[in-house]
Amino acid sequence: MKKQILFAALIFLSLFANAQNLPQCDSLVINCCTFDSLGPNTLTIYVSNPSTVLFDYPGFVLFDAAMDTIAKETVNYFGISAGPQPHTMNIVSTLILPFNGFLNLYTQFYNTLACSFPFSIPDTTNGISEAAATRALKVFPNPSVNEVAVELNGFSAGSNLSLVIYNALGKEIFRTAYDHSPLKISLQEMNAGIYFIRITDAENKLHGSQKIMVLGKEKF
């Protein structure tokens, strides 16, 4: 009987170790986080894999301490590169900061659990909170029809910043270098609706965020 229990325990440990891929998991470097980088209600982590281990068709899922799903990635990559490679998860449940839970990495389109990491997110990430990022960026006039001016508090030349505009579905529709402040942006090609302006640096750290409303063009 003892031999059977021991044998069963060894099988369980073997399966657990295989699911965890422990040495391979240790090779991953995960940096947290950018919020709303690909539209509202998204969370992006940055993952590097300096080893030769291939995590094929990877997808990340964020769980809280009760193992309820908080955010999930749509599989976009064949594997995890030397990076840093952005992995964006859609937030599907309430995420309260500070956060403590687990980040699971699945492979083969969620067919196999590869790694599970204890995961924490502090009250602020990237050195600036979402609220502070909103205060740092001024967009005027807002609402607007044809053009807006975008002004970032504390801007300095040579910061290597990018300005990106997303529509309400989180799709990127415009990108340009933010090399002077205020920067004027034409809205002529945009339909009426809600849009989100984000200013980030070369490491995708958030510097400014603002929601704008584009009004319909009058027809004569």
Side-chain angles (χ1 to χ4, degrees), residues 82-144:
Q85 185 183 72
H87 289 260
T88 298
M89 294 177 280
N90 293 310
I91 299 173
V92 298
S93 187
T94 303
L95 174 60
I96 300 175
L97 301 182
F99 172 86
N100 291 289
F102 299 92
L103 181 69
N104 284 7
L105 169 60
Y106 296 86
T107 57
Q108 294 291 344
F109 295 99
Y110 293 102
N111 183 58
T112 302
L113 174 62
C115 310
S116 184
F117 308 95
F119 199 73
S120 298
I121 305 175
D123 282 325
T124 60
T125 58
N126 292 336
I128 182 172
S129 68
E130 194 70 26
T134 300
R135 293 194 298 269
L137 195 62
K138 297 179 181 178
V139 180
F140 50 91
N142 188 14
S144 185

